[in-house]
Amino acid sequence: MNYNTKRRIASLLAVPALLFTGACGSDSSNDSAAGVAEVKGKVGEKPEITVPKDAKPADKTVVKTVTEGSGTEAAKGDFVRLDYTVRKWDDPADLGGTWSAGGAGQPHRQLVDRVGQPSQMLPPKVLDSVEGQKAGSRVLIQGTAGDLLGKSLNPQSGITAKDTLLWVVDVAGAAKVDAKAEAKGEQAAPEAGMPTVVAPSQKPATITIPKGEKAPTELKEQVLIKGTGPKVEAGQGLIAQYTGVKWEDGQKFDSSWDHGGATGFQIGTKSVVEGWDKGLVGKNVGDRVLLVIPPALGYGADPSNQLAKNTLVFAVDIVGAV
């Protein structure tokens, strides 16, 4: 189980993205003749999607670069931070997306995915379309639900396999980070009352809870290794190695090393537990951070979560940002 607060899969999907398969094709026909949607608006703002009047949608999947950015090019295996929206050809209603209103002056929630890896929200054929695109680009993916979603189409969604879906994806950022990266440097001794961390290379950390110490009722944090990279800002995609244990019994409940290495998630937008947002924004790439998170800043708001009553202890290596 990932520590990350799991985002809801869009209602048109029946199963997790792990079961999606396939790669996107493209069609270079004239838009008006082929029946391809038109997309207007600035990258970074919700797009305006219109379809040609009285036209039938193209019968092939279309991948079209609407706006070409000038940032880092996203290659297979790279981490990307994305915005998206999806609708039907014949119905302008939103079926899902990231352009929801956020707090004044606050970044909104976006997806952080890895090109070529399973996504929580995007079918592989949609996520694969950003490969080769530069940060700042906007991409239209148009195709039938049967082609884009396949067997993962939820029959209860009201969408049929023949319905044409329109996805617009903005590449907000892209970064190449080694999935085996880890913090390097001399590790500080734990502060009084804090757990000890032994982090063998390429393996989950061993975190030992201090004997006789009660779990703190407030967030506790300590930078164990000081990195030299840029400061992490709210709204960025943070790429990290982590190991988490329960204060109550010291048992490990999750580690990125058990899932293939570094994982990406957005920070500072309530996309992860509050203790991560509070404890990791403002830290630096290259830091190893020890966090002790009371239930109120962990999973305490979700009584159904098996960790709802636990104080969580994490050793986090910040290995990149996007």
Side-chain angles (χ1 to χ4, degrees), residues 119-143:
S119 168
Q120 291 187 0
M121 296 296 290
L122 299 180
K125 289 191 176 185
V126 175
L127 180 57
D128 287 351
S129 70
V130 308
E131 184 177 348
Q133 299 287 343
K134 296 178 180 179
S137 295
R138 170 166 283 177
V139 186
L140 168 70
I141 305 96
Q142 174 181 314

Side-chain angles (χ1 to χ4, degrees), residues 56-75:
K56 292 184 178 180
D59 56 5
K60 296 181 180 179
T61 293
V62 176
V63 178
K64 175 184 175 183
T65 302
V66 177
T67 302
E68 184 175 0
S70 58
T72 301
E73 183 175 306

Side-chain angles (χ1 to χ4, degrees), residues 152-196:
S152 298
L153 176 62
N154 184 352
Q156 305 300 319
S157 67
I159 307 294
T160 71
K162 294 182 179 180
D163 285 327
T164 294
L165 298 177
L166 308 172
W167 299 75
V168 177
V169 179
D170 283 4
V171 184
K176 187 179 300 295
V177 178
D178 185 354
K180 300 301 182 183
E182 53 194 349
K184 300 290 187 179
E186 185 176 352
Q187 181 171 294
E191 296 173 352
M194 292 288 277
T196 59

Side-chain angles (χ1 to χ4, degrees), residues 7-304:
R7 293 172 283 221
R8 293 179 59 194
I9 304 273
S11 62
L12 60 160
L13 308 183
V15 296
L18 225 68
L19 302 183
F20 290 123
T21 57
C24 245
S26 64
D27 182 78
S28 58
S29 305
N30 177 268
D31 288 358
S32 59
V36 178
E38 181 179 2
V39 181
K40 294 182 179 180
K42 296 180 180 180
V43 175
E45 298 178 0
K46 186 173 182 178
E48 178 185 340
I49 306 172
T50 58
V51 299
K53 188 176 181 180
D54 299 326
K56 292 184 178 180
D59 56 5
K60 296 181 180 179
T61 293
V62 176
V63 178
K64 175 184 175 183
T65 302
V66 177
T67 302
E68 184 175 0
S70 58
T72 301
E73 183 175 306
K76 188 173 183 179
D78 287 356
F79 289 89
V80 289
R81 179 164 49 87
L82 307 171
D83 275 305
Y84 81 95
T85 190
V86 57
R87 55 159 283 187
K88 289 173 61 176
W89 174 272
D90 56 358
D91 186 347
D94 287 341
L95 295 175
T98 59
W99 276 285
S100 58
Q106 299 297 315
H108 66 281
R109 286 192 186 185
Q110 296 172 307
L111 302 183
V112 178
D113 283 318
R114 195 173 180 201
V115 181
Q117 298 292 320
S119 168
Q120 291 187 0
M121 296 296 290
L122 299 180
K125 289 191 176 185
V126 175
L127 180 57
D128 287 351
S129 70
V130 308
E131 184 177 348
Q133 299 287 343
K134 296 178 180 179
S137 295
R138 170 166 283 177
V139 186
L140 168 70
I141 305 96
Q142 174 181 314
T144 64
D147 182 43
L148 295 180
L149 302 179
K151 295 180 180 179
S152 298
L153 176 62
N154 184 352
Q156 305 300 319
S157 67
I159 307 294
T160 71
K162 294 182 179 180
D163 285 327
T164 294
L165 298 177
L166 308 172
W167 299 75
V168 177
V169 179
D170 283 4
V171 184
K176 187 179 300 295
V177 178
D178 185 354
K180 300 301 182 183
E182 53 194 349
K184 300 290 187 179
E186 185 176 352
Q187 181 171 294
E191 296 173 352
M194 292 288 277
T196 59
V197 176
V198 176
S201 181
Q202 307 295 298
K203 295 180 180 179
T206 298
I207 303 173
T208 304
I209 308 302
K211 292 183 179 180
E213 290 284 342
K214 292 183 178 180
T217 57
E218 297 181 352
L219 175 68
K220 299 292 183 181
E221 56 181 275
Q222 181 184 357
V223 176
L224 297 176
I225 295 178
K226 182 63 178 175
T228 59
K231 183 174 293 187
V232 175
E233 299 179 0
Q236 283 187 308
L238 192 151
I239 303 161
Q241 307 285 7
Y242 68 92
T243 298
V245 306
K246 294 176 286 184
W247 179 284
E248 289 75 14
D249 59 12
Q251 294 297 306
K252 182 186 73 171
F253 60 86
D254 197 15
S255 177
S256 60
W257 294 108
D258 295 334
H259 309 295
T263 187
F265 52 90
Q266 196 183 24
I267 196 73
T269 57
K270 299 182 180 180
S271 298
V272 291
V273 294
E274 190 175 355
W276 280 64
D277 281 344
K278 288 181 175 292
L280 297 179
V281 171
K283 299 300 189 291
N284 293 81
V285 174
D287 285 356
R288 173 171 293 158
V289 185
L290 175 61
L291 297 174
V292 182
I293 303 174
L297 298 179
Y299 293 103
D302 180 10
S304 65

